[in-house]
Amino acid sequence: MQSKPDGIAIASADRFAGVVPDEAAAVRARQAASRAGALVPIVTASGFAGLGYEIVWTRQLSLTLGTEMMAVLGVLAGFFGGLALGAFALDRLIRRSTSPWRVYATLEAVIAVWGLISVRLLPAAGRALPPLLGTEPSAALLWAGSLALPTLVLLPATMAMGGTLAALERMTRQARGAGRVTAGVYGANTAGALAGTLASTFLLIPALGFSGTLLCLVGVNAFCALAALALGPAATKAGVEERRPERIRDLRLTITLFATGLLGIIFEVLVVRLAAQVMEDTVYTFAGLLAAYLLGTAAGSLLWQRSGRDANDGNLRGLLAATAFACIATAVLAPYARRLVEIVAFADVYGELAVAIALFLLPATAMGALFGLLAQRVSDHRGSVGTAVGINSLGACIAPLVAAQLLIPGLGAWTALLAVALGYLLLLPPGRSALLWSAAPAVAALLLWLNPAPSLTRVPAGGALLAVREGPMATASVVDDAAGTRYLEINGHFRMGGTSSTRSDYRQAMLPLLLHEAPRDALFLGIGTGATMVGGAQMPGISVRGVELSREVMELLPWFVNPAPASRPLVTVADARRYVAADTGQHDVIIADLFHPALDGSGALYTVEHFEAIKRRLAPGGIFCQWLPLYQLDLPSLRTIVRGFLDIYPDGSAWLNHYSVRTPMLALLGTRNGRPLDTEALAARLRDSATASVARPFGFETPLDLLGQYVAGPQALAAFAGDGPRNTDDFPFVTFDARRNVRALTAAPWSLLLAVTKDIRSDPNELLTRATEREQLGARLNAYWAARNRFLEAGAALPGDPRGAALIEAASPGLIDALRLSQEFDPAYGPLMGMARSLLGSDRAAAARLLRKINEAAPSRREARDLLLREFGLRNE
């Protein structure tokens, strides 16, 4: 027998209680309004927690599974798949429950309990998977493993999340006594998700780390559960649905729900991919883009609820056409996004958020209204929105895979936006008006396809774009400037090296390889232009292997290095963290390249856990070298990295690569078992003819040339770093310090370098362990280091970019000062002699004056004195 409707049951109770029906109705109306108003914070808080969990969990999974595209796709599929499964599995329970309030409270309790368990379970499960996958898993295996981990480990929580919207929708209907509340509930829930995105990224994780943020979210779930129990009416038979739910017999509605979930997430992936080419691509960039998408979705759903329109085919056609047109509008705006970013650059991340809103607001608003309409249709048929959530989530589950593996490689991200718009038009219900609705968007898409947008890659003035590889992870390009210097750029503006830095790149490999007494195996994490890895391969008797995240970068290596097949290093396309965790071999030297700390994902390569994993891969006596780009770091991040490094490598030391103030870099070196430096072994290696033939062209002739790059040992580094946080997997300080690291790019590139050399006093007693070494080299090194620091100060003080005579006049005093401090300091002596020779053809008197100063500063060196005698017949008396 069918149960009575809620209103009849309550009216019967009123008569038995002696309450006048009109007064009772007024009381019930006030109670319903109060209950409905109190539901708003619950609905928004549920969305807040859901997006907070998604952000934390996906970032934790990326630490162990890596940031390779197939791993990212697997994680997203696992998360959306759990939501879909929960929406389907719990729909019947929620529909038939006598108290959806209790069901909802139970779901929130399950999420809270599993959120608490995930604090320990997820990192532990993540650490177990990489060794099972191996260092070079197939794309299918990597995707399957990345899908299985979140699906299995997080399934109780994601399934419960999949049922919360349906429960909230039914609770709201019961509280308000209104049938059409679906879009409003979805909009309020999405507004909460927007708040969760911003709060988690900008406040909670930077302050509390991942574990602390999860505990906060558990508290939000507990609030939702307790509030639902407190507000919910007692369970009665009247709570059962008054009609038998219908199946969704409309195949077109099912297809439309699935396709809109697919197309909506594809659109999000494509816009994020395009935005990465013009924005800073930090953790805050992604959060801003996601927030803009959620803002539009929430606004669209709430506007649709407020409009009170019917969910008929006419309105469906209008919303589908509006969504298509909005996607096309974003395609029109995308080529100008770089200009927008430049205009609002003064506003830091808030400027990026404004650009994200410009790209996302219109399409996401239309998508939010569209889902509100479709979900209302399903709710009208079945008395619950769960099936709509499930079907839509299934489309979202495969959307990233379709975008990354089909659309971006096949069409390119920008052209794929037009394909998404076409997809929405194909969903229009058939009818005469469908042609009218689709005409304008279709014509606009055709015109844009015939006149495609220009490349977002910036080309230097007078230069050219030589090659481009667009992939799902990055757009890699080769450009040259007016002087013919070639550069590798990622996403249109991150420069990863070029032909002008080949000497420096080679030296990055030689420093740690020369400090090891007898290296045989070297592993390079991060390839860039390939010059560092190829430089290491030139050293005699060394087997070299490289690991590079981006296949697009690998395809462009021949533009910069092209070693003979016999000496070509082996390169694996893989995430460096996952590779190290899965590797079972041991290496004499491991060299980690320069990773831009502000880039989303790079901060994970500077964590304590990663440094520890690398130490396990070092052979006895092995050396790990982590290069740091001082021109892309701020001081707090540098000190945090140093603290973590010293935790794992107590014998850690810091070294410079070269003495350029334009692109200064610092190496942190640590050994597996604290083996001290043997200067006699170093001298023997440099005397070896095979080694010397490679090292001498790059300035390494004597031990002093190499030891002169030493900056600090463990005691000096510890004093410099001080007390403070470490950059760990659970507390990713560097990743969330991206705003300051981005601002560091606008400061003078030598700012941090000079701060380091002023704060640290290099001590030969920390470098040289034997008394005889200290006697022979201690004083010479102190003088050399003083000359080096004066040389760096002089370089930083140069005004602008002087050339010719202006350069000689500006630079020579500082170089003379450096030479006076150490006559052995070749980086000053060589340029000074070059200046003197260049003056011989234009101003011989100035050349003679400069040669005298050089000879006075370094009387033990004969070259200046001999040139004075030969050219002027003068002695420096």
Side-chain angles (χ1 to χ4, degrees):
M1 179 181 293
Q2 191 171 4
S3 63
K4 298 182 208 177
D6 291 351
I8 296 175
I10 295 173
S12 300
D14 290 340
R15 282 196 295 271
F16 281 115
V19 181
V20 178
D22 289 344
E23 294 177 1
V27 171
R28 289 197 305 274
R30 286 194 296 271
Q31 290 174 341
S34 174
R35 190 179 294 123
L39 264 176
V40 174
I42 299 177
V43 174
T44 54
S46 180
F48 180 102
L51 248 293
Y53 281 122
E54 181 181 352
I55 288 173
V56 172
W57 285 339
T58 53
R59 290 200 168 275
Q60 286 184 309
L61 287 166
S62 71
L63 292 173
T64 52
L65 296 174
T67 54
E68 295 153 278
M69 180 50 65
M70 295 310 294
V72 173
L73 296 178
V75 168
L76 291 175
F79 192 85
F80 280 115
L83 295 179
L85 183 60
F88 286 126
L90 298 170
D91 183 57
R92 179 182 177 87
L93 172 65
I94 293 168
R95 266 192 293 107
R96 297 178 63 85
S97 172
T98 59
S99 176
W101 305 79
R102 291 182 180 176
V103 174
Y104 171 74
T106 302
L107 295 178
E108 289 289 355
V110 170
I111 299 170
V113 170
W114 213 256
L116 197 60
I117 292 173
S118 73
V119 172
R120 295 282 181 247
L121 177 61
L122 191 59
R127 287 192 295 270
L129 185 60
L132 299 177
L133 294 175
T135 57
E136 300 183 64
S138 66
L141 177 60
L142 180 57
W143 182 83
S146 302
L147 169 67
L149 181 62
T151 300
L152 297 176
V153 175
L154 301 177
L155 189 61
T158 54
M159 281 189 65
M161 289 178 186
T164 53
L165 186 65
L168 288 167
E169 190 252 4
R170 185 158 175 238
M171 290 159 57
T172 306
R173 272 194 292 118
Q174 189 181 87
R176 294 184 58 181
R180 298 204 165 183
V181 299
T182 305
V185 173
Y186 177 64
N189 191 256
T190 307
L194 163 63
T197 299
L198 296 176
S200 296
T201 305
F202 286 84
L203 298 175
L204 296 178
I205 300 175
L208 305 174
F210 290 139
S211 295
T213 300
L214 286 174
L215 294 178
C216 287
L217 298 175
V218 167
V220 175
N221 294 134
F223 159 77
C224 292
L226 294 174
L229 291 175
L231 289 172
T236 66
K237 291 182 67 176
V240 182
E241 286 297 311
E242 61 183 81
R243 66 179 184 277
R244 182 180 297 276
E246 303 175 15
R247 291 187 177 182
I248 304 179
R249 294 189 176 90
D250 186 349
L251 180 61
R252 179 171 290 278
L253 176 58
T254 301
I255 292 173
T256 303
L257 274 167
F258 177 85
T260 50
L262 174 73
L263 294 172
I265 299 300
I266 287 177
F267 177 81
E268 181 187 4
V269 170
L270 296 175
V271 175
V272 169
R273 183 69 195 79
L274 289 169
Q277 299 183 54
V278 297
M279 296 183 179
E280 295 296 342
D281 200 16
T282 69
V283 62
Y284 299 109
T285 301
F286 177 75
L289 290 165
L290 179 58
Y293 182 78
L294 294 171
L295 173 64
T297 304
S301 300
L302 294 172
L303 288 172
W304 177 255
Q305 176 70 37
R306 189 173 182 81
S307 72
R309 296 192 176 191
D310 291 332
N312 55 40
D313 279 357
N315 287 327
L316 178 58
R317 290 188 187 100
L319 285 178
L320 285 168
T323 304
F325 204 86
C327 292
I328 293 169
T330 295
V332 172
L333 182 63
Y336 303 99
R338 185 183 302 281
R339 179 59 183 149
L340 294 176
V341 170
E342 292 171 351
I343 291 172
V344 299
F346 67 91
D348 197 23
V349 294
Y350 305 106
E352 286 197 337
L353 180 59
V355 175
I357 292 173
L359 292 171
F360 268 127
L361 186 60
L362 287 180
T365 300
M367 292 173 191
L370 179 58
F371 181 76
L373 182 151
L374 295 170
Q376 188 61 59
R377 273 196 177 185
V378 174
S379 181
D380 291 343
H381 278 284
R382 293 181 59 81
S384 171
V385 75
T387 303
V389 173
I391 296 172
N392 196 257
S393 296
L394 281 179
C397 179
I398 67 168
L401 187 65
V402 173
Q405 298 300 304
L406 296 177
L407 293 179
I408 294 176
L411 300 176
W414 183 84
T415 305
L417 289 177
L418 305 181
V420 170
L422 178 61
Y424 279 108
L425 294 179
L426 293 175
L427 295 175
L428 264 69
R432 191 179 305 172
S433 62
L435 295 175
L436 296 176
W437 279 113
S438 61
V443 170
L446 178 61
L447 291 175
L448 287 175
W449 181 70
L450 294 174
N451 300 276
S455 171
L456 292 174
T457 300
R458 284 188 295 192
V459 178
L465 178 62
L466 303 178
V468 178
R469 297 291 185 275
E470 184 175 10
M473 289 290 294
T475 297
S477 57
V478 180
V479 299
D480 67 3
D481 58 19
T485 302
R486 196 174 295 166
Y487 300 100
L488 173 65
E489 293 192 346
I490 304 299
N491 288 334
H493 58 300
F494 290 110
R495 189 161 287 177
M496 307 296 286
T499 53
S500 62
S501 63
T502 300
R503 177 182 174 86
S504 172
D505 295 339
Y506 273 51
R507 287 172 63 95
Q508 282 181 246
M510 290 181 185
L511 173 67
L513 289 173
L514 288 171
L515 288 174
H516 193 286
E517 292 183 9
R520 292 291 178 266
D521 180 280
L523 176 66
F524 289 78
L525 304 178
I527 301 303
T529 63
T532 301
M533 179 182 63
V534 171
Q538 307 305 309
M539 298 291 285
I542 294 181
S543 173
V544 168
R545 176 181 287 273
V547 179
E548 170 56 45
L549 175 64
S550 172
R551 188 172 299 278
E552 293 75 34
V553 168
M554 289 296 304
E555 292 174 357
L556 296 176
L557 287 185
W559 286 91
F560 302 94
V561 293
N562 194 19
S567 62
R568 188 168 296 164
L570 296 173
V571 180
T572 300
V573 178
D575 177 86
R577 277 188 61 118
R578 186 188 60 76
Y579 183 95
V580 170
D583 191 14
T584 57
Q586 290 192 316
H587 311 278
D588 296 313
V589 177
I590 299 178
I591 301 173
D593 205 352
L594 301 164
F595 305 121
H596 188 339
L599 284 180
D600 196 7
S602 293
L605 297 170
Y606 297 123
T607 65
V608 172
E609 292 82 358
H610 182 52
F611 291 157
E612 188 174 24
I614 289 175
K615 190 172 187 177
R616 290 193 294 268
R617 301 277 65 82
L618 288 175
I623 292 177
F624 170 49
C625 173
Q626 173 66 70
W627 286 104
L628 301 175
L630 294 183
Y631 52 97
Q632 295 172 336
L633 268 170
D634 74 326
L635 189 57
S637 279
L638 175 61
R639 285 181 164 148
T640 299
I641 293 170
V642 170
R643 289 185 208 111
F645 191 87
L646 290 176
D647 284 348
I648 306 302
Y649 302 96
D651 66 328
S653 56
W655 304 68
L656 296 175
N657 178 34
H658 50 59
Y659 306 131
S660 167
V661 296
R662 301 295 174 181
T663 55
M665 56 189 74
L666 189 73
L668 297 179
L669 265 68
T671 66
R672 174 175 167 172
N673 40 17
R675 189 170 184 173
L677 174 68
D678 187 338
T679 58
E680 293 180 359
L682 173 61
R685 288 208 67 201
L686 292 172
R687 288 194 300 269
D688 175 73
S689 59
T691 302
S693 64
V694 176
R696 284 181 181 174
F698 296 95
F700 296 119
E701 295 188 33
T702 69
L704 191 65
D705 295 323
L706 193 145
L707 301 181
Q709 297 174 211
Y710 175 86
V711 175
Q715 295 179 24
L717 277 178
F720 167 76
D723 295 327
R726 272 67 172 160
N727 185 49
T728 67
D729 285 356
D730 188 61
F731 193 83
F733 181 93
V734 174
T735 295
F736 288 87
D737 193 39
R739 295 164 68 182
R740 285 188 301 207
N741 284 323
V742 167
R743 285 196 290 270
L745 297 174
T746 62
W750 51 80
S751 300
L752 187 54
L753 170 66
L754 295 187
V756 169
T757 56
K758 287 178 180 177
D759 285 358
I760 295 178
R761 179 175 178 82
S762 304
D763 184 359
N765 293 325
E766 282 202 84
L767 176 65
L768 307 173
T769 57
R770 292 196 292 263
T772 54
E773 292 177 330
R774 293 171 182 170
E775 291 176 4
Q776 294 171 0
L777 291 172
R780 293 170 63 194
L781 281 173
N782 276 326
Y784 195 97
W785 293 332
R788 176 197 67 196
N789 294 347
R790 179 66 186 98
F791 179 88
L792 295 173
E793 293 169 359
L798 288 177
D801 188 20
R803 305 277 179 173
L807 173 62
I808 295 172
E809 182 178 355
S812 57
L815 299 182
I816 292 293
D817 289 345
L819 197 58
R820 287 195 180 101
L821 292 169
S822 172
Q823 299 182 38
E824 298 179 278
F825 190 66
D826 283 341
Y829 189 79
L832 284 169
M833 291 303 301
M835 293 175 186
R837 291 191 184 93
S838 68
L839 287 172
L840 287 174
S842 59
D843 190 341
R844 291 179 61 82
R849 289 195 297 272
L850 181 57
L851 285 169
R852 286 195 183 96
K853 291 179 181 179
I854 296 172
N855 196 41
E856 289 171 357
S860 64
R861 306 191 69 153
R862 298 176 55 92
E863 192 176 357
R865 184 176 58 200
D866 291 347
L867 192 57
L868 272 170
L869 287 170
R870 185 169 63 251
E871 293 292 333
F872 302 100
L874 298 173
R875 295 183 181 273
N876 193 43
E877 298 175 344

